[in-house]
Amino acid sequence: MGRIRVLPDQIANKIAAGEVVERPASVVKELLENSLDAGATRFRIEVESGGRRLIRITDDGCGMSRDDAMLAFERHATSKLRDVKDLLSIATLGFRGEALPSIASVSRLLLETRSADDSTGTRVEIAGGKMLHCDEAALTPGTSITVRDLFFNVPARKKFLRSEQTELAHIASLATHYSLAHPGKTFQLMCGGGDLLHVTPVSTLRERVYQVFGSQTLEELVELGDCRRELFLPPPSVPPSEAIAAYAREPDEPPSRAFRVTGFISRPQVQKANRNSIFTFVNGRLIRDRVLLHAISSAYHNLMPQACYPFALLFLECDCEEVDVNVHPSKTEVRFRHGSFVHDFIRDTLRDRLIETRPAPAFTASSAPQPAPALPYSEFTQMLENEAPEPATAAHSPSVSEGAAHSPSVSEGAADSAAPQFTLRPEPSPPPRLDFGAGAVAVGHEHLVDTRPAKSRIPDTHGEFPPGTLPPFSSSLSALGDLRPLGQIHESFIIAAGRDGLWIIDQHVAHERILFEKVLKQRAAGRVETQALLMPLILQLTAEQQIEYARIADELHSIGFETEPFGARTIAVKAAPAAVPVSDLEKLIFEILETAEGEMRGLSMDDIRRNIAASIACRAAIKINMRLDQNKMEWLLGALAATDCPMSCPHGRPIALQYPTREILKAFHRI
Ligand code: ADP
Ligand code: MG
């Protein structure tokens, strides 16, 4: 008796409809997800010509009986759904029963499969949706699906495919990210006879990140640990008579739902120009979701300049009932039942972790936002192309041979050229210290191409993970409290010695951070320090400023400004936060109103409050080009050490750079 059934119309009609086979990477995604659903632990993906000529995925999963193997190519045939209720709690990656028939209708497909219970296997051959053969065959248990000549019968589609390299990059990215979601499984991606990715089972995500990205990347990341939060559901409303009966029996639904997040995020100094380095998985499914993206950005608010984004690899797990995956045909979007809970959970978890670890940037950190390369598959690309301009796109770059001849750093651009990009560049330039983003996303693409020395084509050449030798997290700003200030450079930067190296601290932004947190804390406690002005300051506002003023007047008041309307479009400022020099007051208020106008529309009141506090802190902080005596420097470092986030100023600039002793020793050839 087979496991697969054709869904009745009333269920099929409730499934998000649409095309799933858009490009080779979408075929890989569907087949890989099927293999994962089949419980496989080993996945081999073979690709030729960027997946146009051949895609073969071989797994050691549960396989299919002969009946199932034939039924699998019917539309809406699936073993994963039985009735409409199942749609509310989908635990498998697939559920639509459409992938195999869709792929088979636009390619020449060969299915070879054997269930472990059967003594022989089945071979099914289909071309353009027509079944050509179905034979018994001697096979090992598991499934292998070979897809040749994708879109051979749909020339219009074929025209829209990008170059082989681009398609291959999408496939590599996809395979790598699924390998990150399953550290305990083997993933192999082969192209042109060589491995692009080959990772063997390891027991932790940290080890898998090391296998895929290498130790340098790992050093720039902060691991989240195992973070959980429970959502307490309101009790279901029941009529009193039933409530008495219900009291005695088990509740239908648990009164709370557990959410868990694990993964890695980058230190605030790793700044990407777009969101392409953010990867979010929900219950093992790689998805793109606005709630999660927003939560991640909020976690870095006031730690990173606006319009910069971190690297993130997040795995959220929750009850299947909490997330609707039946939203988009290619299953790349979800809808959370309790979106704002999820948002706050993610934001708080990330922020708390950054505060706890206080990662310090190193001297060599590049401060400009780094471009992040292409995305795993097109839905993502499309969504993001609307959000942020892509950096130098692959399509307009020199060919590889040209690039290789004239420039050793052709890596990023050359993705679209015809020659095999995954072979290596003649002279890989050393990767910028903080630039792992390329590897983070382009995985097979950029990282493999760009940053490995010639001998390593395979990410796994980072080798076995020797126990006890994990690269340590780089230095933490927790050391700030023990620093000994030695003097200033340019009367702007404090030089300090610590047990773990030499530090340079930007005195202005350090003070800014101290004041920013102080203002917010005083505001929260309702105890702001204010100064009354001898003469009220009269300010003339424009119509827009007047509107913004009305919107934030209460907030201005609670943070220490005493203002009142003074005739048409004029306000009188009678008192201000204590630390702000009176001479700067006018500029400060206009600055606050201007930010309010421009960017605050989309911000919450909490974000607005933080921005006002940032403006106050900036005006009140000691300036650069100011001589500080020993006591002042000591005070500044002590106060900075006591802040929650000594990593960045409220506008996202780094505060302290560390030259670790280890690096000093290396530079002097002592180790
Ligand atoms: P869905 O994954 O939505 O169920 P598909 O068209 O992708 O639909 O697959 C149809 C069915 O074929 C699956 O429900 C599953 O039972 C079976 N199947 C597909 N791929 C595999 C595989 N690699 N191993 C075992 N069974 C598979
Ligand atoms: Mg499927």
Side-chain angles (χ1 to χ4, degrees):
M1 176 78 182
R3 300 180 309 128
I4 302 184
R5 305 251 181 302
V6 175
L7 295 174
D9 282 351
Q10 88 262 22
I11 306 180
N13 292 340
K14 289 201 166 53
I15 288 173
E19 192 47 70
V20 292
V21 191
E22 202 185 318
R23 63 190 319 170
S26 22
V27 172
V28 173
K29 175 175 182 284
E30 293 294 339
L31 297 183
L32 206 50
E33 290 188 347
N34 278 346
S35 298
L36 283 161
D37 282 343
T41 60
R42 300 179 63 85
F43 310 83
R44 191 172 71 227
I45 308 162
E46 291 158 82
V47 175
E48 280 174 25
S49 303
R52 294 152 164 230
R53 195 178 314 142
L54 175 124
I55 296 169
R56 177 183 295 129
I57 300 200
T58 309
D59 70 46
D60 63 348
C62 66
M64 284 179 259
S65 67
R66 181 187 164 89
D67 288 351
D68 278 355
M70 290 173 62
L71 205 51
F73 293 96
E74 296 290 325
R75 286 200 66 211
H76 300 306
T78 179
S79 56
K80 302 167 195 176
L81 273 190
R82 284 285 124 114
D83 59 43
V84 179
K85 240 175 65 196
D86 294 344
L87 269 178
L88 300 175
S89 56
I90 295 167
T92 48
L93 295 169
F95 56 88
R96 306 171 71 236
E98 292 217 81
L100 289 185
S102 305
I103 297 167
S105 68
V106 293
S107 67
R108 302 182 216 279
L109 186 147
L110 174 68
L111 164 70
E112 294 169 292
T113 186
R114 188 189 132 193
S115 138
D117 304 335
D118 298 335
S119 51
T120 56
T122 309
R123 181 176 285 136
V124 179
E125 224 181 309
I126 301 183
K130 284 206 188 67
M131 188 156 316
L132 306 179
H133 302 283
C134 177
D135 307 311
E136 209 173 77
L139 297 169
T140 48
T143 301
S144 165
I145 297 184
T146 309
V147 177
R148 285 182 206 276
D149 303 329
L150 188 63
F151 300 136
F152 78 97
N153 54 350
V154 206
R157 277 293 185 76
K158 215 168 168 176
K159 265 204 284 211
F160 279 99
L161 289 179
R162 305 275 294 273
S163 76
E164 287 181 10
Q165 283 308 312
T166 304
E167 298 300 339
L168 183 58
H170 283 278
I171 293 171
S173 178
L174 200 66
T176 305
H177 286 92
Y178 271 106
S179 83
L180 288 162
H182 299 273
K185 300 184 174 184
T186 301
F187 288 79
Q188 185 176 15
L189 171 61
M190 299 170 73
C191 173
D195 283 340
L196 283 179
L197 172 79
H198 190 177
V199 284
T200 47
V202 284
S203 52
T204 62
L205 174 62
R206 189 166 162 71
E207 289 164 85
R208 180 56 49 101
V209 169
Y210 173 82
Q211 284 180 318
V212 172
F213 297 131
S215 63
Q216 186 145 21
T217 295
L218 197 52
E219 271 185 49
E220 307 306 343
L221 300 178
V222 173
E223 189 167 8
L224 289 181
D226 182 354
C227 311
R228 295 163 192 260
R229 188 180 280 185
E230 235 167 299
L231 167 69
F232 294 97
L233 298 170
S237 66
V238 274
S241 54
E242 273 180 43
I244 295 165
Y247 185 73
R249 64 180 153 84
E250 290 282 299
D252 295 336
E253 248 184 335
S256 72
R257 292 279 164 77
F259 289 77
R260 173 172 181 257
V261 67
T262 53
F264 286 85
I265 53 172
S266 56
R267 347 161 126 241
Q269 287 74 32
V270 176
Q271 292 161 8
K272 303 288 174 188
N274 56 38
R275 295 192 176 91
N276 296 2
S277 300
I278 297 178
F279 287 88
T280 49
F281 290 78
V282 174
N283 292 339
R285 187 189 301 279
L286 181 57
I287 55 113
R288 200 97 200 147
D289 176 72
R290 286 187 188 283
V291 170
L292 296 182
L293 290 175
H294 190 272
I296 295 167
S297 291
S298 309
Y300 284 84
H301 193 76
N302 293 120
L303 288 180
M304 205 181 250
Q306 266 158 15
C308 282
Y309 304 92
F311 163 92
L313 179 64
L314 297 186
F315 299 93
L316 176 68
E317 281 158 50
C318 57
D319 287 333
C320 308
E321 287 85 2
E322 283 296 313
V323 40
D324 183 1
V325 293
N326 184 23
V327 178
H328 192 271
S330 55
K331 301 165 290 180
T332 49
E333 289 171 35
V334 293
R335 203 173 292 130
F336 290 107
R337 200 160 143 195
H338 297 97
S340 65
F341 175 87
V342 171
H343 177 275
D344 294 357
F345 170 49
I346 297 295
R347 181 200 55 202
D348 298 349
T349 303
L350 268 53
R351 204 173 179 92
D352 290 352
R353 192 68 189 129
L354 288 170
I355 290 175
E356 205 181 316
T357 52
R358 305 170 154 224
F363 263 35
T364 41
S366 87
S367 58
Q370 301 127 22
L375 288 155
Y377 37 98
S378 56
E379 289 79 15
F380 287 14
T381 321
Q382 219 152 37
M383 280 171 66
L384 293 161
E385 271 164 2
N386 297 338
E387 285 170 19
E390 284 274 308
T393 59
H396 313 290
S397 39
S399 77
V400 156
S401 49
E402 250 176 36
H406 303 305
S407 147
S409 56
V410 61
S411 62
E412 179 167 1
D416 226 29
S417 65
Q421 255 306 283
F422 286 85
T423 51
L424 293 143
R425 298 186 305 143
E427 257 181 41
S429 55
R433 201 177 140 76
L434 291 185
D435 189 11
F436 55 75
V441 186
V443 279
H445 169 47
E446 187 129 344
H447 196 75
L448 306 189
V449 176
D450 195 25
T451 59
R452 299 287 141 237
K455 62 178 179 345
S456 64
R457 288 186 65 173
I458 315 166
D460 204 18
T461 45
H462 298 295
E464 280 296 303
F465 209 73
T469 57
L470 283 181
F473 276 133
S474 306
S475 12
S476 152
L477 285 157
S478 310
L480 277 174
D482 305 326
L483 298 187
R484 193 159 40 85
L486 305 173
Q488 283 170 291
I489 303 180
H490 259 307
E491 303 196 326
S492 303
F493 306 103
I494 300 171
I495 306 296
R499 251 178 310 152
D500 48 359
L502 180 73
W503 293 73
I504 303 187
I505 296 103
D506 180 327
Q507 64 195 39
H508 170 67
V509 292
H511 197 205
E512 228 181 353
R513 165 56 64 181
I514 296 164
L515 292 175
F516 171 71
E517 294 193 8
K518 183 171 157 194
V519 169
L520 285 178
K521 278 193 185 126
Q522 289 182 346
R523 156 75 179 79
R527 279 204 312 265
V528 285
E529 289 168 27
T530 59
Q531 52 178 330
L533 306 185
L534 287 175
M535 291 275 293
L537 178 69
I538 309 295
L539 299 177
Q540 183 86 44
L541 307 183
T542 64
E544 286 87 16
Q545 286 167 339
Q546 175 72 37
I547 294 168
E548 290 311 322
Y549 168 72
R551 203 161 73 93
I552 62 170
D554 286 348
E555 190 51 49
L556 284 174
H557 178 72
S558 7
I559 217 155
F561 290 95
E562 208 176 296
T563 60
E564 57 188 43
F566 189 79
R569 289 217 240 120
T570 307
I571 54 169
V573 184
K574 295 180 155 173
V580 181
V582 177
S583 55
D584 276 3
L585 210 51
E586 181 171 344
K587 272 198 217 129
L588 171 64
I589 291 184
F590 282 125
E591 186 182 295
I592 291 173
L593 291 175
E594 209 168 286
T595 350
E597 255 182 76
E599 65 192 41
M600 289 195 183
R601 293 222 163 87
L603 298 184
S604 66
M605 212 53 207
D606 189 49
D607 290 337
I608 293 177
R609 177 174 312 135
R610 298 171 74 86
N611 284 358
I612 296 177
S615 294
I616 295 172
C618 183
R619 291 283 161 191
I622 49 167
K623 305 281 179 282
I624 53 167
N625 291 316
M626 184 190 266
R627 204 181 162 73
L628 300 179
D629 63 25
Q630 187 73 15
N631 282 342
K632 281 226 177 72
M633 289 193 284
E634 276 168 18
W635 172 84
L636 195 71
L637 295 185
L640 181 63
T643 59
D644 284 339
C645 296
M647 300 79 91
S648 342
C649 86
H651 302 106
R653 276 183 289 166
I655 295 175
L657 303 180
Q658 188 206 20
Y659 195 176
T661 311
R662 183 166 43 109
E663 297 297 323
I664 297 176
L665 290 172
K666 258 196 233 161
F668 284 115
H669 298 213
R670 298 223 167 242
I671 52 171

